[in-house]
Amino acid sequence: MKKLLSLILAAALCLCLVACGGEPANDKNDANNADAKTYTVGICQLLPHPSLDSATQGFKDALKEAFGDAVTFSEGNAGGEATNCTTIIDGFIAEDVDLILGNATLPLTTAASATDTIPVLGTSVTDFASALGITDWTGTVGGNVSGASDLAPLDGQAEVLHELFPDAKTVGLLYCSAEANSIYQVENIRKHLEGYGYTCTNYAFNDVNDLASVTQTACDGSDVIYIPTDNVAAANTETIANVVLAAGVPVISGDVSTCGVCGVATLGIDYYDLGYTTGQMAVQILKGEADISTMPVQSVTEFTKVYNPDNCAALDITPPEGYVSTADL
């Protein structure tokens, strides 16, 4: 009987030791699980062109620097089509990604409409208030949306135009009528240009199909053409260049990539830096260091006067000091 009792007590003691010894192991596993947390980020880019490509790369680099291999990207390029944006965003939601980047206005608005739980950041978006239909803009979207704006000072771009072409009389405003942010830029730069005494006329194209014909009409009626940061224009700069250079009409653009093909000058931003800034916002959100509902939309603070040396030479234009060549960027 004593022998049996001893065996029972020994067994009970072993069970206690195992139970007590298991707690540190569980704590260690929990710590390892926390360290091994992974993230999936969905990126929907409107279409391929250099500015948007640079913004996407900057965004990814910021996340990779923070998380290394712990972050993976699910990427989709909509090719400029709204239906493709919807399909891509719906795929991200079904995949249950941790965060969505909308690179350009349409991907942002599509994502913002599709989910109110997954954090959504926008980049390469000129005016968040116009894009999202916010009338009482305070600088913060609220809810699950924030991001970074690519808006360069429109008064500064008007100043560049006037600095290069003080004797011009007419300015054609060439843009895609389907892009809300392009409309915003055209409406606002018009005020600054008219302040310099220019007569401004809108030349809106519907899509790439009528881009060449509308550009030709703009050339026929303008001394200078201004093109805002317009995605359709930026993706079809060769088409514009073929018309404006043959007509001998200079273009001031809203972004550097457009200037590099069909423009002569711009006051522009670095889209890689813009994407990187947006990526830093994503890192804060994923780490739980910031609440997206209270994150103000970020704005670019550094701008560069840029000129296209080939187009300036072709049109016999000499920019003043202080302009950086597109060849040096």
Side-chain angles (χ1 to χ4, degrees):
M1 189 69 179
K2 289 180 179 179
K3 189 174 183 180
L4 178 60
L5 184 59
S6 297
L7 289 171
I8 292 172
L9 289 172
L13 181 60
C14 287
L15 288 173
C16 287
L17 289 172
V18 170
C20 293
E23 289 181 2
N26 287 339
D27 289 344
K28 184 177 181 181
N29 287 338
D30 288 343
N32 288 339
N33 288 338
D35 292 340
K37 184 172 177 59
T38 59
Y39 305 93
T40 302
V41 175
I43 301 175
C44 181
Q45 183 173 314
L46 179 60
L47 43 72
H49 73 65
S51 294
L52 298 187
D53 294 344
S54 293
T56 291
Q57 190 60 55
F59 177 79
K60 292 168 65 177
D61 286 352
L63 285 160
K64 279 292 186 182
E65 286 181 16
F67 298 118
D69 293 337
V71 63
T72 57
F73 301 101
S74 181
E75 300 184 56
N77 196 302
E81 298 293 333
T83 54
N84 292 341
C85 279
T86 300
T87 301
I88 293 167
I89 297 298
D90 286 347
F92 294 159
I93 295 171
E95 192 179 347
D96 194 26
V97 299
D98 297 294
L99 183 142
I100 295 173
L101 174 73
N103 190 352
T105 301
L106 185 56
L108 168 68
T109 56
T110 302
S113 298
T115 177
D116 59 5
T117 56
I118 299 174
V120 174
L121 289 175
T123 198
S124 311
V125 176
T126 304
D127 181 59
F128 278 71
S130 297
L132 298 169
I134 302 172
T135 54
D136 54 343
W137 180 244
T138 62
T140 302
V141 176
N144 65 319
V145 179
S146 188
S149 167
D150 66 354
L151 181 62
L154 295 172
D155 58 342
Q157 292 184 348
E159 182 182 351
V160 165
L161 191 150
H162 184 254
E163 185 174 43
L164 293 177
F165 308 106
D167 298 326
K169 303 299 183 185
T170 57
V171 177
L173 306 174
L174 180 67
Y175 64 98
C176 179
S177 59
E179 295 203 23
N181 282 319
S182 294
I183 296 171
Y184 170 85
Q185 292 170 82
V186 164
E187 289 176 348
N188 282 275
I189 200 169
R190 171 188 286 272
K191 304 169 188 175
H192 299 296
L193 291 171
E194 290 177 344
Y196 284 113
Y198 296 113
T199 298
C200 300
T201 303
N202 287 9
Y203 295 95
F205 54 90
N206 296 316
D207 52 37
V208 67
N209 294 315
D210 63 341
L211 174 57
S213 62
V214 174
T215 301
Q216 183 62 61
T217 302
C219 288
D220 294 341
S222 311
D223 297 323
V224 185
I225 290 175
Y226 172 78
I227 302 175
T229 53
D230 184 289
N231 289 300
V232 177
N236 296 277
T237 49
E238 290 286 354
T239 299
I240 298 171
N242 290 338
V243 177
V244 297
L245 293 176
V249 178
V251 169
I252 299 296
S253 65
D255 66 282
V256 175
S257 65
T258 299
C259 177
V261 180
C262 65
V264 295
T266 185
L267 178 67
I269 69 167
D270 187 320
Y271 274 81
Y272 178 89
D273 290 345
L274 178 72
Y276 192 90
T277 296
T278 315
Q280 291 178 314
M281 297 175 72
V283 170
Q284 289 183 295
I285 294 165
L286 294 174
K287 285 186 173 181
E289 297 174 351
D291 179 356
I292 191 171
S293 68
T294 61
M295 293 182 83
V297 169
Q298 301 294 304
S299 298
V300 176
T301 58
E302 295 185 6
F303 311 97
T304 304
K305 288 183 176 181
V306 178
Y307 78 102
N308 182 322
D310 293 334
N311 290 351
C312 283
L315 298 176
D316 196 23
I317 297 167
T318 303
E321 291 185 6
Y323 283 74
V324 176
S325 168
T326 52
D328 295 330
L329 297 176

